[in-house]
Amino acid sequence: IDEGYRGRGYGKEAFTKIIKYFELLNVDYFALIPYPVEIEREDVTKQDIQKLVKFYQAFHLNIVKQNSDTQLVMGRDLNLLV
């Protein structure tokens, strides 16, 4: 979501729709790498990643692999009731 539109619920609304779409497609599990695409790779901080982790945890994604503070994978089993 463009920086000027953040904090207005657009990201939450978009991600909710993505999850519902996955459910319609009978996706059992999905994973993602939380990473801020708008920040240059060398400037990404642990805080940038943690902000995204917190966002995705609100949708019941869990960290499934972590190589460092800025390299991790999150996932969710859509067959589990939340």
Side-chain angles (χ1 to χ4, degrees), residues 4 9 14 19 32 39 42 48:
I19 292 171
L32 56 79
I39 300 174
E42 62 273 359
D48 297 323

Side-chain angles (χ1 to χ4, degrees), residues 6 9 11 15 20 34 39 50 52 60-61 65 71 80 82:
R6 292 183 195 158
F15 203 68
K20 288 182 189 237
I39 300 174
Q50 288 304 312
L52 291 169
H60 308 284
L61 275 82
K65 183 177 181 182
Q71 294 182 343
L80 299 177
V82 289

Side-chain angles (χ1 to χ4, degrees), residues 16-30:
T16 298
K17 289 183 180 194
I18 290 168
I19 292 171
K20 288 182 189 237
Y21 184 66
F22 285 162
E23 290 170 344
L24 286 172
L25 295 174
N26 293 316
V27 171
D28 293 320
Y29 188 88
F30 72 96

Side-chain angles (χ1 to χ4, degrees), residues 28-76:
D28 293 320
Y29 188 88
F30 72 96
L32 56 79
I33 298 170
Y35 202 84
V37 296
E38 73 279 0
I39 300 174
E40 294 295 326
R41 185 179 246 350
E42 62 273 359
D43 295 332
V44 172
T45 66
K46 179 180 178 179
Q47 291 78 18
D48 297 323
I49 300 299
Q50 288 304 312
K51 186 175 179 181
L52 291 169
V53 167
K54 184 178 176 182
F55 174 81
Y56 292 121
Q57 284 175 332
F59 294 95
H60 308 284
L61 275 82
N62 298 305
I63 296 172
V64 294
K65 183 177 181 182
Q66 184 165 358
N67 294 332
S68 71
D69 289 337
T70 59
Q71 294 182 343
L72 50 93
V73 177
M74 298 183 77
R76 177 176 166 188

